Amino acid sequence: MNIVVLGAQFGDEGKGKIVDLMTPKFSWVARYQGGHNAGHTVYVSGKKFVLHLIPSGILHDGVMCVIGNGVVVDPKALFKEIDELAGLGIDVGDRLLISDKAHLILPYHRELDVLSEARRGERKIGTTSRGIGPAYEDKIGRRGIRVCDLVDTKALADEVRANVDARNQIIKDSTLDWTQVYDELLASGARMRRWTGDVSLALDQAMRTGQRVLIEGAQGAMLDIDHGTYPFVTSSNATIGGACTGLGIPPKAIQGVLGVAKAYLTRVGEGPFPTELCGEIGERLRETGMEYGASTGRPRRCGWYDAVAVRYAVRVNGIDSIALTKLDVLDDLKTIDICTGYRIGDRTVTEFPSDLNTCGPITPSYESWPGWTTPTKGATSYSQLPAEARRYIARLEEVSGVPVGLISTGSDRHETIIRDDSVVARWLN
Ligand code: GDP
Ligand code: IMO
Ligand code: MG
């Protein structure tokens, strides 16, 4: 049974923790999109690991970790991550397989990302400045460079020279030398070679022999290039379709979809956020939840759970069950609100609008629920939760249109509740 774990909100839902805790039941863990804009945090017995490009399954011995063709790979970021993991006692060894069709983030993509943001001025996206957008632009524009292209050939030289020339025309007074970029790429290719191969073929062979694959999304549904709050999105398909195109696997290979959602909501970067709390409660959520970006350290914007958005993520992705994270962050609140609809002008909207960015002022319609004001931190069974917390979860299930099969009550692996009768329990059996 192969399961996809993906973000049902604006990213940073806690996917890394969930993937890590599920990994022991799988032989492979595979990333299908995004790049090192992702920051997936995993705590193991108090020790912190932040994964950016390498799947969050890497902390478990014997598990194969895959970077699919849909991911954009910055070789420097990859090597840094591999070296940092080694420093923390995790040897990647031969447990990494990078698709030979994955596109590369080149040294100047980062610069173009920053430049593009500066040009947008007040309309900036608030990107992670990792060069993600420009790398995907080159891919779609059919001038990208793939992992399998990193051999000393005339074709690579021609492509690099043309790309660097084009870039030098965009960036004023730039004199970047294409041969320098070319030499760096060859060196990266040489170091990467031991890990590269045909991901689609390897996964197909693994699945045929009954090995299970856990598929790890980055970002979240509302940051998806097609289905998110465009243009305030990332440049890839974080939603379910990306899993097939980004790994070269058919839809039938996927048996379940677990959507990860926080018990409230956060967003980092610009863009619409109807339930954002700019006052004291927002501040409290940020401090209690330690809501600072795992990649960039930026403070995350915080707000109430938006059931309109999660319901949409459930529909677009075919989510079977929600992993509800950070319940413990709400422990101190006397009342907790849930957004069940939006008021836009004189309309009441319950389906996530395509034009959220331009539709004018949005007033969320809220239900207020009593808080539990008792610690849930570290709870490992559903019955341990206070009645008000159970009622809150039951209401989230109703308004989100999907059961909550897993509840996370802290950042450590073990601070987790898996509900007995849930599909998640069945997947992990
Ligand atoms: P990801 O990008 O979806 O993997 O999420 P991030 O790692 O960027 O952000 C989630 C943060 O919340 C990380 O610092 C996690 O360690 C932390 N976290 C995950 N689950 C819980 C939880 O249930 N409670 C608390 N307090 N923290 C959690
Ligand atoms: P994980 O996998 C939260 C956001 C950026 C910005 C927008 C575009 O940790 O959940 P990009 O650099 O991708 O072009 O930025 O997307 N963003 C994320 N927000 N979590 C992430 O990843 C994100 N990756 C990108 O802040 O608003
Ligand atoms: Mg993150």
Side-chain angles (χ1 to χ4, degrees):
M1 189 164 320
N2 309 310
I3 305 297
V4 180
V5 174
L6 46 72
Q9 296 165 327
F10 288 107
D12 298 331
E13 299 90 348
K15 299 174 292 293
K17 168 187 164 160
I18 304 299
V19 167
D20 168 74
L21 80 89
M22 291 175 71
T23 296
K25 299 290 180 181
F26 294 82
S27 305
W28 297 71
V29 181
R31 274 275 307 270
Y32 59 89
Q33 46 67 238
H36 67 306
N37 50 349
H40 296 180
T41 315
V42 179
Y43 279 91
V44 185
S45 310
K47 196 167 170 183
K48 183 179 178 181
F49 300 86
V50 184
L51 287 317
H52 299 283
L53 263 171
I54 297 181
S56 304
I58 196 72
L59 308 184
H60 296 265
D61 280 347
V63 171
M64 275 302 292
C65 287
V66 168
I67 295 178
N69 59 279
V71 175
V72 281
V73 179
D74 179 331
K76 281 196 188 127
L78 175 75
F79 300 145
K80 182 165 176 266
E81 194 166 332
I82 290 172
D83 295 343
E84 279 173 5
L85 280 170
L88 290 165
I90 306 293
D91 179 22
V92 167
D94 288 321
R95 294 190 295 123
L96 183 62
L97 179 65
I98 305 168
S99 170
D100 49 9
K101 291 189 223 162
H103 280 249
L104 296 166
I105 298 182
L106 302 184
Y108 51 84
H109 284 140
R110 186 191 168 94
E111 231 176 316
L112 290 173
D113 195 349
V114 173
L115 189 72
S116 157
E117 285 285 84
R119 284 199 175 138
R120 289 183 68 96
E122 288 198 341
R123 291 161 46 253
K124 73 173 197 275
I125 310 290
T127 72
T128 57
S129 320
R130 300 290 193 262
I132 304 291
Y136 279 116
E137 278 177 46
D138 277 357
K139 172 178 176 175
I140 301 301
R142 294 165 295 184
R143 51 183 178 267
I145 291 168
R146 301 179 302 167
V147 169
C148 62
D149 298 327
L150 296 186
V151 276
D152 194 357
T153 58
K154 181 166 179 310
L156 177 66
D158 288 348
E159 205 62 43
V160 173
R161 190 203 300 239
N163 284 354
V164 171
D165 280 352
R167 170 206 164 278
N168 282 345
Q169 281 163 30
I170 296 170
I171 301 176
K172 216 171 135 225
D173 302 326
S174 174
T175 51
L176 182 65
D177 179 4
W178 75 269
T179 57
Q180 188 191 326
V181 177
Y182 184 73
D183 290 344
E184 262 180 44
L185 282 175
L186 290 182
S188 297
R191 183 166 178 201
M192 236 191 280
R193 195 146 306 135
R194 69 180 280 209
W195 292 301
T196 61
D198 187 332
V199 159
S200 167
L201 183 64
L203 290 179
D204 183 60
Q205 285 168 347
M207 291 177 201
R208 280 176 196 277
T209 55
Q211 296 177 47
R212 300 179 65 182
V213 184
L214 184 60
I215 300 171
E216 176 179 5
Q219 291 81 54
M222 254 52 72
L223 290 175
D224 183 279
I225 183 75
D226 284 290
H227 302 291
T229 56
Y230 192 90
F232 298 98
V233 292
T234 192
S235 300
S236 67
N237 283 120
T239 52
I240 191 71
C244 294
T245 56
L247 290 169
I249 59 166
K252 281 186 202 155
I254 297 167
Q255 280 81 41
V257 184
L258 180 64
V260 187
K262 276 180 194 169
Y264 48 100
L265 188 57
T266 64
R267 169 165 209 164
V268 58
E270 308 302 317
F273 185 171
T275 63
E276 182 169 12
L277 293 163
C278 295
E280 192 221 319
I281 300 178
E283 198 60 47
R284 236 163 107 177
L285 289 173
R286 178 155 46 249
E287 292 317 310
T288 316
M290 294 193 284
E291 295 295 356
Y292 294 89
S295 276
T296 58
R298 290 180 292 174
R300 294 175 182 150
R301 300 155 66 193
C302 298
W304 295 124
Y305 187 93
D306 184 342
V308 180
V310 175
R311 216 162 40 232
Y312 173 66
V314 167
R315 167 159 58 86
V316 169
N317 291 298
I319 290 173
D320 297 297
S321 183
I322 290 280
L324 190 71
T325 59
K326 305 193 97 161
L327 186 73
D328 54 295
V329 174
L330 303 180
D331 282 353
D332 292 336
L333 298 180
K334 289 208 171 59
T335 56
I336 302 167
D337 288 1
I338 302 172
C339 165
T340 54
Y342 303 148
R343 292 282 305 164
I344 304 176
D346 56 5
R347 289 183 299 145
T348 299
V349 173
T350 53
E351 295 297 338
F352 196 73
S354 307
D355 59 348
L356 195 67
N357 182 39
T358 50
C359 63
I362 300 160
T363 311
S365 311
Y366 286 119
E367 294 178 356
S368 269
W369 287 80
W372 39 93
T373 56
T374 354
T376 62
K377 169 110 175 62
T380 52
S381 77
Y382 197 64
S383 57
Q384 262 176 283
L385 295 179
E388 292 82 357
R390 281 184 269 146
R391 210 178 322 147
Y392 179 66
I393 295 166
R395 187 59 187 150
L396 292 189
E397 291 181 310
E398 282 169 3
V399 293
S400 311
V402 74
V404 170
L406 185 155
I407 300 148
S408 173
T409 57
S411 49
D412 208 84
R413 267 181 200 164
H414 306 289
E415 295 175 312
T416 307
I417 298 167
I418 295 171
R419 292 175 79 180
D420 292 339
D421 48 356
S422 69
V423 67
V424 182
R426 190 155 58 75
W427 291 337
L428 297 181
N429 213 332

